[in-house]
Amino acid sequence: MTAASTPAVNTADLYDERGDELASVALQFQSLGGRSHFAGKARTIRCFQDNALVKSTLATEGNGSVLVVDGGGSLGTALMGDMIAESAVANGWAGVVINGAVRDREALAALDLGVKALGSNPRKSAKAGAGEVDVDVVIDGVTIRTGAMIWCDPDGILVEQ
């Protein structure tokens, strides 16, 4: 199933059906992409104010996955902008969740990509490649592992445990 053909799932309904099988991220992420509902198997990155791993990962085949980036909650630099997001769309990613900032909000809103982030900042990040890919990340007390199913919509984020 492609990212575009994944049916929209409302997180509230899903939680009502599955309850404590799912963890809910209570941190109030903003919905900034053109796709309000998105879901897929998670891929993870941990980095801080350096988006080289985000760029290189989203340049690979996404197969409807959701990239979860733990940027340490920093709003100091953007970890994704319009060009990286366009690459994600071209490579079949369903969406991106960034515990940090993005930039180019208006362009992101026009793309067929789910984007959840804490906010935005026009400042570029470093490009050194510092960080880790496919590691467990913890956001708001919820552990997200590569391969775990994740669902996102305007109400929030649910993760299969």
Side-chain angles (χ1 to χ4, degrees):
M1 187 176 281
T2 66
S5 67
T6 302
V9 173
N10 290 320
T11 57
D13 294 340
L14 185 62
Y15 193 85
D16 287 350
E17 288 174 21
R18 300 191 46 196
D20 290 337
E21 292 176 26
L22 304 173
S24 177
V25 177
L27 190 60
Q28 296 298 294
F29 282 84
Q30 297 179 37
S31 293
L32 301 171
R35 186 183 294 179
S36 63
H37 294 68
F38 59 103
K41 294 206 180 260
R43 290 280 314 275
T44 63
I45 292 176
R46 182 183 304 119
C47 59
F48 186 76
Q49 296 187 357
D50 185 321
N51 75 347
L53 293 175
V54 175
K55 181 179 181 179
S56 64
T57 301
L58 290 174
T60 65
E61 189 60 41
N63 297 312
S65 295
V66 175
L67 183 63
V68 179
V69 181
D70 183 4
S74 173
L75 297 174
T77 65
L79 292 175
M80 186 180 75
D82 61 345
M83 292 173 29
I84 294 174
E86 287 169 358
S87 172
V89 171
N91 287 300
W93 290 83
V96 182
V97 175
I98 298 180
N99 184 21
V102 296
R103 64 188 209 161
D104 303 313
R105 289 171 73 124
E106 290 180 340
L108 295 179
L111 294 173
D112 185 23
L113 182 71
V115 178
K116 285 208 169 270
L118 297 181
S120 61
N121 186 332
R123 185 177 180 202
K124 289 183 179 183
S125 68
K127 313 281 186 231
E132 303 170 277
V133 179
D134 292 329
V135 295
D136 290 359
V137 297
V138 179
I139 298 175
D140 190 42
V142 175
T143 300
I144 304 167
R145 296 174 173 82
T146 288
M149 194 66 191
I150 184 168
W151 296 266
C152 305
D153 72 4
D155 279 342
I157 300 168
L158 294 176
V159 180
E160 196 166 44
Q161 296 296 286

